[in-house]
C-alpha cells in the first residue's frame, strides 16, 4: 500500500512539474512575440 502511494505521489509531482515547465515555456515564447489577441469583429446590420 505504501509503495503505491509513493509511486502515485512521485507521478503527481513529475506530471505537475512537466505541466508547469511547459506552460512557463509557452508563455515566455508567446509573450516575447508581437502576438496580438484577436478582437471581435463588429456585427453589421
Amino acid at each position: 500500500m505504501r509503495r503505491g502511494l509513493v509511486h502515485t505521489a512521485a507521478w503527481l509531482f513529475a506530471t505537475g512539474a512537466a505541466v508547469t515547465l511547459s506552460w512557463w515555456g509557452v508563455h515566455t515564447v508567446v509573450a516575447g512575440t508581437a502576438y496580438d489577441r484577436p478582437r471581435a469583429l463588429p456585427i453589421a446590420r
Side-chain angles (χ1 to χ4, degrees):
M1 176 80 179
R2 187 177 204 172
R3 187 175 180 186
L5 290 175
V6 170
H7 284 169
T8 301
W11 181 84
L12 287 171
F13 176 77
T15 302
V19 168
T20 301
L21 288 174
S22 296
W23 178 87
W24 183 71
V26 169
H27 178 73
T28 302
V29 168
V30 170
T33 62
Y35 172 75
D36 292 326
R37 291 186 177 176
R39 287 185 251 169
L41 298 173
I43 298 174
R45 290 186 180 191

